[in-house]
Amino acid sequence: MKRTKHINHASFRKQWRSYRMAPVALAVSAVFVLAGCEKADENVSLYQNTDDCARANPSMSEQCTVAYNNALKEAEKTAPKYANREDCVAEFGEQQCTKAPAQAGMAAESQQSGSFWMPLMAGYMMGRMMGGGFSQQPLFTSRSPASPANGKFVDASGRNYGPATGGGRTMTVPKTALAPKPATTNTITRGGFGESVAKHGTTMSRSSAAPGRSMGG
């Protein structure tokens, strides 16, 4: 029993702590690595229409058109929907709204009356995918002075990407900016989309590129 007096308790405790903390440290490191991957940025360009895109990328006219048409289809599904034209106009301004096409999941009464409205697509975001193709998202803008989206490019979730100008402004955005958005299945109240824009703030990278830069590589 006397031999227990010679055990180096401090050393034993240090070794045990090191063994216990190693898996924890590895787990924490893994979380940071995964978080870094999830937040990786994408380079995108913002265009008002196919001509805007083609002028910035003369050799990519066909890709510009395909991306624009895909963005239009996406806009029909994901744009904010309003129960009447007045609510949409109050949020986005005159000449900025159109009747939304019927779609699966929308409220039955809206489908029957055909009365729901949505903002017109004002532009689109276009980014090159790793496989060589392109991904796109529709962008909207408001002409209502009271709206936080006034004169800004915003996506269907209310993220703000700065001035709604042409020329192919290039910027760096989070990967989530190009991720598919859920289809809109309910109408929104007047001012609701503006609140979303104000909540999101501006999604612009510190490494934004100068306007007019081509995506051609």
Side-chain angles (χ1 to χ4, degrees), residues 1-15:
M1 295 298 291
K2 293 181 179 180
R3 284 182 296 179
T4 57
K5 295 180 179 180
H6 300 291
I7 295 176
N8 189 333
H9 292 283
S11 177
F12 178 79
R13 285 195 295 269
K14 183 178 180 180
Q15 292 175 1

Side-chain angles (χ1 to χ4, degrees), residues 92-106:
F92 289 93
E94 288 288 349
Q95 311 302 320
Q96 291 294 99
C97 295
T98 184
K99 277 194 173 183
Q103 67 184 59
M106 285 296 293

Side-chain angles (χ1 to χ4, degrees), residues 93-129:
E94 288 288 349
Q95 311 302 320
Q96 291 294 99
C97 295
T98 184
K99 277 194 173 183
Q103 67 184 59
M106 285 296 293
E109 60 271 19
S110 295
Q111 296 280 16
Q112 292 170 2
S113 65
S115 62
F116 54 96
W117 291 73
M118 59 176 271
L120 292 166
M121 190 177 82
Y124 64 114
M125 176 189 302
M126 183 175 174
R128 187 182 293 274
M129 296 187 295

